[in-house]
Structures are given as C-alpha cells and as structure tokens.
Amino acid sequence: MVRVRQSHSTDYNSGETLEWLCSLGLTEKKISSLMHGAEYLKQHQLTDTEPAVRTGWEMVEILAELRMDSDSLLAALLFPLLEAQLLSQEQLEPAFSANVLTMLRAVQQMEAIRTIPTGPNQSVNPQQADNLRRMLLAMVEDVRAVVIKLAAQICYLREVKNADEETRVLAAKETNAIFAPLANRLGIGQLKWELEDLAFRYLHPQLYKQIAGLLEERRLDREQYMQDFVASVRQKMAEANLAVEVYGRPKHIFSIWKKNAEKAAGL
C-alpha cells in the first residue's frame, strides 16, 4: 500500500525543521547539513508555501529511510527547486560543496532523457526501455544520483494524482518501464515496491482499491502474525547463537496482484 509520510501531513511545518529532522533519526552531521539547506532556502524567501520546497522535504524523508549520507539528502532537498527553476546551479555554487553540485547535475541529466515516447494506449518497447535504463546508469558516475532520481519519481507520481488520466497513465508506464526496474537492479526493494504500487494505482484503479480494501480489513491480523513470526525466528536465531537481523514487511499491492495473475495463468 502507498506509504504515508510525515511530510504529507497537514501538521508538518518547516518552521519546526530541526525538531522534524530529529524525529527522522538523523545524525548530527546530516541534520546540520540540512539545516544549512533550510537556512539557504529561507534567505531566498522559499518557504513551505512553495510546492517544490515540500517536494524537497518529502525526498529527504524518503532517502532518510534508506540512510543516505548528508550530501545526498541535501541534493535531494535542492533538486526540486532547480527543476522548478526557482534556483540555478550558478546560485548554488558559492553555498554548497562540489559533491552536492555534481550530484544535482547528474540528476538533471537523467531528467533530460527520462521519457520513453509512447501514447496512453501503447505498450512500451522492452528493448527500448532496457537501453534507456542502461544509459541512465552509465551516464552517472555516482549511483547516489540515481537513488535521488528514484525518490523524485515517487514524488512525481504523487503530484499527478489529480492530473488527467493520460498524464497519470503515462507516468505509470514510464515508472514500470524505467524506474521500478532501476530500483530493483540497485537492490532497493523499499523504493521498488512503492513505485510499483503507485503505478498500479493509476493503471488499474479499481483493482487497486479492491486489494487495498481487503488488506485493510485484515491489517491488524496480518501485523500480529508478522510480529509473532519475526519474534519466533529471532528467538531461534538467539538460541543458535547467530547474530542476525530479522524483520518482516507486508506484501505490497502490486506483488499480490502479480502473484495471483501468474497463478491464474498457470505460471
């Protein structure tokens, strides 16, 4: 099911940025770096009333969950402002490190070739999609730029929620063809399943609602089962003197639909 983050809440207020960043469990170095970014935006009169600023903080929250470093988080905060042309690379150069600026340029380069030409009723050419994925990975020296772009795509999918159907469908097809496989290739399952669920919501809205409703009805039972199962495995590992980390996650909506479709097809 699609994630709901703190930065989506109407209670979120960047005026309390320090408190909010601390709630994300960030290190002092990361908080200090982001506070520098927040102060820079304030100096340029860019506040939370600007959608690009809120998108930047949402990207920070997405990447914080992946424990990305301070430069990556700062680049994520600034990227939507560059895309909205509210800031320029030239303006940023005196205030931020070469590392951050290089990442921003790489993400912008990826953005320039992001689209696969296709109509709303057309399928994406698999070979063309694979070639574009390879190109995106090859053109950036720092893989962190790719992860930032994946976070930006998640935010973009949320932004087009109220757009026309053609825009939503094209965004979903692009996500399934390029960005979800990229996340999978990089081994970032957390972003892969969120991209897939958001795309699935636009491509099959009724099926999405049906599965989401069934999951919500049994949510407490599923969560309790998972907690009990994880606790049992942890105990067995401890008894065997094995230092391992055990965790569980709910199966996401797209994967449930895909598995059932494969079963129905006899695969």
Side-chain angles (χ1 to χ4, degrees), residues 214-235:
L214 292 171
L215 289 176
E216 183 60 28
E217 287 177 6
R218 301 187 58 189
R219 179 174 58 84
L220 295 178
D221 290 340
R222 289 187 300 112
E223 289 178 353
Q224 187 60 54
Y225 172 82
M226 189 177 302
Q227 290 173 8
D228 293 344
F229 185 82
V230 168
S232 175
V233 174
R234 283 176 176 165
Q235 182 179 347

mmCIF file of all heavy atoms in Angstrom, residues 214-235:
data_model
loop_
_atom_site.group_PDB
_atom_site.id
_atom_site.type_symbol
_atom_site.label_atom_id
_atom_site.label_comp_id
_atom_site.label_asym_id
_atom_site.label_seq_id
_atom_site.Cartn_x
_atom_site.Cartn_y
_atom_site.Cartn_z
ATOM 1 N N LEU A 214 -9.333 -5.056 0.947
ATOM 2 C CA LEU A 214 -9.204 -6.370 1.576
ATOM 3 C C LEU A 214 -8.034 -6.404 2.555
ATOM 4 O O LEU A 214 -8.126 -7.016 3.633
ATOM 5 C CB LEU A 214 -9.019 -7.442 0.498
ATOM 6 C CG LEU A 214 -10.231 -7.699 -0.412
ATOM 7 C CD1 LEU A 214 -9.838 -8.607 -1.566
ATOM 8 C CD2 LEU A 214 -11.383 -8.309 0.392
ATOM 9 N N LEU A 215 -6.928 -5.756 2.185
ATOM 10 C CA LEU A 215 -5.772 -5.711 3.079
ATOM 11 C C LEU A 215 -6.082 -4.939 4.353
ATOM 12 O O LEU A 215 -5.676 -5.330 5.447
ATOM 13 C CB LEU A 215 -4.579 -5.074 2.365
ATOM 14 C CG LEU A 215 -3.914 -5.893 1.259
ATOM 15 C CD1 LEU A 215 -2.821 -5.085 0.601
ATOM 16 C CD2 LEU A 215 -3.354 -7.195 1.813
ATOM 17 N N GLU A 216 -6.804 -3.842 4.221
ATOM 18 C CA GLU A 216 -7.122 -3.018 5.390
ATOM 19 C C GLU A 216 -8.029 -3.768 6.356
ATOM 20 O O GLU A 216 -7.892 -3.651 7.571
ATOM 21 C CB GLU A 216 -7.793 -1.715 4.932
ATOM 22 C CG GLU A 216 -8.095 -0.741 6.059
ATOM 23 C CD GLU A 216 -6.844 -0.306 6.822
ATOM 24 O OE1 GLU A 216 -5.740 -0.300 6.234
ATOM 25 O OE2 GLU A 216 -6.970 0.022 8.017
ATOM 26 N N GLU A 217 -8.951 -4.565 5.815
ATOM 27 C CA GLU A 217 -9.861 -5.333 6.668
ATOM 28 C C GLU A 217 -9.100 -6.301 7.569
ATOM 29 O O GLU A 217 -9.501 -6.556 8.703
ATOM 30 C CB GLU A 217 -10.850 -6.116 5.798
ATOM 31 C CG GLU A 217 -11.921 -5.247 5.140
ATOM 32 C CD GLU A 217 -12.826 -6.067 4.242
ATOM 33 O OE1 GLU A 217 -12.684 -7.308 4.234
ATOM 34 O OE2 GLU A 217 -13.669 -5.467 3.540
ATOM 35 N N ARG A 218 -7.995 -6.826 7.086
ATOM 36 C CA ARG A 218 -7.240 -7.835 7.842
ATOM 37 C C ARG A 218 -5.906 -7.303 8.332
ATOM 38 O O ARG A 218 -5.030 -8.072 8.704
ATOM 39 C CB ARG A 218 -7.013 -9.067 6.958
ATOM 40 C CG ARG A 218 -8.303 -9.710 6.460
ATOM 41 C CD ARG A 218 -8.030 -11.001 5.737
ATOM 42 N NE ARG A 218 -7.334 -11.951 6.592
ATOM 43 C CZ ARG A 218 -6.822 -13.104 6.154
ATOM 44 N NH1 ARG A 218 -6.905 -13.426 4.893
ATOM 45 N NH2 ARG A 218 -6.201 -13.912 6.992
ATOM 46 N N ARG A 219 -5.763 -5.976 8.335
ATOM 47 C CA ARG A 219 -4.467 -5.373 8.660
ATOM 48 C C ARG A 219 -3.967 -5.776 10.042
ATOM 49 O O ARG A 219 -2.812 -6.173 10.211
ATOM 50 C CB ARG A 219 -4.570 -3.847 8.578
ATOM 51 C CG ARG A 219 -3.266 -3.128 8.919
ATOM 52 C CD ARG A 219 -3.407 -1.637 8.669
ATOM 53 N NE ARG A 219 -4.489 -1.068 9.437
ATOM 54 C CZ ARG A 219 -4.382 -0.666 10.707
ATOM 55 N NH1 ARG A 219 -3.224 -0.786 11.335
ATOM 56 N NH2 ARG A 219 -5.399 -0.147 11.357
ATOM 57 N N LEU A 220 -4.809 -5.677 11.057
ATOM 58 C CA LEU A 220 -4.373 -5.991 12.421
ATOM 59 C C LEU A 220 -3.959 -7.449 12.554
ATOM 60 O O LEU A 220 -2.961 -7.768 13.213
ATOM 61 C CB LEU A 220 -5.492 -5.655 13.416
ATOM 62 C CG LEU A 220 -5.852 -4.173 13.533
ATOM 63 C CD1 LEU A 220 -7.008 -3.980 14.510
ATOM 64 C CD2 LEU A 220 -4.641 -3.358 13.993
ATOM 65 N N ASP A 221 -4.723 -8.351 11.928
ATOM 66 C CA ASP A 221 -4.373 -9.781 11.974
ATOM 67 C C ASP A 221 -3.033 -10.028 11.298
ATOM 68 O O ASP A 221 -2.197 -10.797 11.797
ATOM 69 C CB ASP A 221 -5.458 -10.618 11.280
ATOM 70 C CG ASP A 221 -6.756 -10.647 12.084
ATOM 71 O OD1 ASP A 221 -6.706 -10.359 13.299
ATOM 72 O OD2 ASP A 221 -7.805 -10.940 11.488
ATOM 73 N N ARG A 222 -2.814 -9.382 10.143
ATOM 74 C CA ARG A 222 -1.564 -9.584 9.412
ATOM 75 C C ARG A 222 -0.374 -9.047 10.197
ATOM 76 O O ARG A 222 0.684 -9.669 10.249
ATOM 77 C CB ARG A 222 -1.644 -8.892 8.045
ATOM 78 C CG ARG A 222 -2.581 -9.569 7.074
ATOM 79 C CD ARG A 222 -2.524 -8.969 5.678
ATOM 80 N NE ARG A 222 -2.895 -7.560 5.689
ATOM 81 C CZ ARG A 222 -2.070 -6.561 5.444
ATOM 82 N NH1 ARG A 222 -0.800 -6.805 5.172
ATOM 83 N NH2 ARG A 222 -2.490 -5.311 5.444
ATOM 84 N N GLU A 223 -0.552 -7.868 10.807
ATOM 85 C CA GLU A 223 0.535 -7.275 11.581
ATOM 86 C C GLU A 223 0.877 -8.142 12.785
ATOM 87 O O GLU A 223 2.057 -8.328 13.112
ATOM 88 C CB GLU A 223 0.141 -5.870 12.037
ATOM 89 C CG GLU A 223 0.107 -4.854 10.898
ATOM 90 C CD GLU A 223 -0.337 -3.483 11.361
ATOM 91 O OE1 GLU A 223 -0.739 -3.352 12.536
ATOM 92 O OE2 GLU A 223 -0.296 -2.543 10.543
ATOM 93 N N GLN A 224 -0.147 -8.692 13.455
ATOM 94 C CA GLN A 224 0.113 -9.544 14.614
ATOM 95 C C GLN A 224 0.815 -10.825 14.199
ATOM 96 O O GLN A 224 1.757 -11.280 14.870
ATOM 97 C CB GLN A 224 -1.204 -9.874 15.324
ATOM 98 C CG GLN A 224 -1.014 -10.623 16.642
ATOM 99 C CD GLN A 224 -0.190 -9.823 17.634
ATOM 100 O OE1 GLN A 224 -0.510 -8.675 17.933
ATOM 101 N NE2 GLN A 224 0.891 -10.415 18.134
ATOM 102 N N TYR A 225 0.390 -11.407 13.071
ATOM 103 C CA TYR A 225 1.029 -12.629 12.577
ATOM 104 C C TYR A 225 2.505 -12.366 12.275
ATOM 105 O O TYR A 225 3.380 -13.168 12.629
ATOM 106 C CB TYR A 225 0.317 -13.119 11.320
ATOM 107 C CG TYR A 225 1.013 -14.272 10.635
ATOM 108 C CD1 TYR A 225 0.840 -15.586 11.088
ATOM 109 C CD2 TYR A 225 1.862 -14.055 9.549
ATOM 110 C CE1 TYR A 225 1.494 -16.642 10.476
ATOM 111 C CE2 TYR A 225 2.520 -15.105 8.934
ATOM 112 C CZ TYR A 225 2.330 -16.399 9.393
ATOM 113 O OH TYR A 225 2.988 -17.441 8.795
ATOM 114 N N MET A 226 2.776 -11.234 11.645
ATOM 115 C CA MET A 226 4.150 -10.913 11.288
ATOM 116 C C MET A 226 5.014 -10.711 12.529
ATOM 117 O O MET A 226 6.141 -11.195 12.611
ATOM 118 C CB MET A 226 4.186 -9.652 10.408
ATOM 119 C CG MET A 226 5.546 -9.352 9.816
ATOM 120 S SD MET A 226 5.497 -7.913 8.740
ATOM 121 C CE MET A 226 4.269 -8.432 7.552
ATOM 122 N N GLN A 227 4.468 -9.987 13.514
ATOM 123 C CA GLN A 227 5.209 -9.753 14.755
ATOM 124 C C GLN A 227 5.522 -11.071 15.459
ATOM 125 O O GLN A 227 6.638 -11.284 15.936
ATOM 126 C CB GLN A 227 4.398 -8.841 15.668
ATOM 127 C CG GLN A 227 4.298 -7.406 15.184
ATOM 128 C CD GLN A 227 3.340 -6.572 16.013
ATOM 129 O OE1 GLN A 227 2.852 -7.022 17.059
ATOM 130 N NE2 GLN A 227 3.045 -5.372 15.551
ATOM 131 N N ASP A 228 4.531 -11.964 15.525
ATOM 132 C CA ASP A 228 4.727 -13.256 16.187
ATOM 133 C C ASP A 228 5.760 -14.100 15.450
ATOM 134 O O ASP A 228 6.620 -14.746 16.062
ATOM 135 C CB ASP A 228 3.396 -14.020 16.270
ATOM 136 C CG ASP A 228 2.396 -13.349 17.201
ATOM 137 O OD1 ASP A 228 2.817 -12.490 18.010
ATOM 138 O OD2 ASP A 228 1.195 -13.672 17.102
ATOM 139 N N PHE A 229 5.682 -14.091 14.117
ATOM 140 C CA PHE A 229 6.597 -14.906 13.310
ATOM 141 C C PHE A 229 8.025 -14.396 13.448
ATOM 142 O O PHE A 229 8.964 -15.182 13.642
ATOM 143 C CB PHE A 229 6.156 -14.878 11.849
ATOM 144 C CG PHE A 229 6.967 -15.782 10.963
ATOM 145 C CD1 PHE A 229 6.677 -17.138 10.883
ATOM 146 C CD2 PHE A 229 8.026 -15.285 10.213
ATOM 147 C CE1 PHE A 229 7.426 -17.977 10.077
ATOM 148 C CE2 PHE A 229 8.783 -16.117 9.414
ATOM 149 C CZ PHE A 229 8.485 -17.467 9.335
ATOM 150 N N VAL A 230 8.204 -13.079 13.367
ATOM 151 C CA VAL A 230 9.542 -12.495 13.486
ATOM 152 C C VAL A 230 10.122 -12.775 14.870
ATOM 153 O O VAL A 230 11.304 -13.116 15.012
ATOM 154 C CB VAL A 230 9.493 -10.979 13.217
ATOM 155 C CG1 VAL A 230 10.803 -10.304 13.621
ATOM 156 C CG2 VAL A 230 9.205 -10.709 11.742
ATOM 157 N N ALA A 231 9.286 -12.635 15.899
ATOM 158 C CA ALA A 231 9.752 -12.895 17.264
ATOM 159 C C ALA A 231 10.199 -14.351 17.420
ATOM 160 O O ALA A 231 11.211 -14.637 18.078
ATOM 161 C CB ALA A 231 8.635 -12.573 18.261
ATOM 162 N N SER A 232 9.456 -15.260 16.806
ATOM 163 C CA SER A 232 9.802 -16.679 16.888
ATOM 164 C C SER A 232 11.141 -16.968 16.210
ATOM 165 O O SER A 232 11.992 -17.684 16.755
ATOM 166 C CB SER A 232 8.695 -17.510 16.231
ATOM 167 O OG SER A 232 9.049 -18.876 16.178
ATOM 168 N N VAL A 233 11.350 -16.382 15.023
ATOM 169 C CA VAL A 233 12.600 -16.605 14.296
ATOM 170 C C VAL A 233 13.779 -15.995 15.058
ATOM 171 O O VAL A 233 14.860 -16.589 15.150
ATOM 172 C CB VAL A 233 12.507 -16.014 12.870
ATOM 173 C CG1 VAL A 233 13.853 -16.108 12.162
ATOM 174 C CG2 VAL A 233 11.437 -16.743 12.072
ATOM 175 N N ARG A 234 13.570 -14.809 15.616
ATOM 176 C CA ARG A 234 14.628 -14.160 16.398
ATOM 177 C C ARG A 234 15.040 -15.027 17.582
ATOM 178 O O ARG A 234 16.226 -15.154 17.895
ATOM 179 C CB ARG A 234 14.147 -12.792 16.886
ATOM 180 C CG ARG A 234 14.165 -11.714 15.817
ATOM 181 C CD ARG A 234 13.586 -10.428 16.331
ATOM 182 N NE ARG A 234 13.678 -9.364 15.336
ATOM 183 C CZ ARG A 234 13.004 -8.227 15.411
ATOM 184 N NH1 ARG A 234 12.203 -7.990 16.433
ATOM 185 N NH2 ARG A 234 13.143 -7.314 14.451
ATOM 186 N N GLN A 235 14.054 -15.628 18.227
ATOM 187 C CA GLN A 235 14.355 -16.475 19.377
ATOM 188 C C GLN A 235 15.173 -17.696 18.948
ATOM 189 O O GLN A 235 16.153 -18.066 19.613
ATOM 190 C CB GLN A 235 13.056 -16.933 20.040
ATOM 191 C CG GLN A 235 13.287 -17.798 21.280
ATOM 192 C CD GLN A 235 11.972 -18.219 21.935
ATOM 193 O OE1 GLN A 235 10.923 -17.699 21.618
ATOM 194 N NE2 GLN A 235 12.061 -19.173 22.846
#
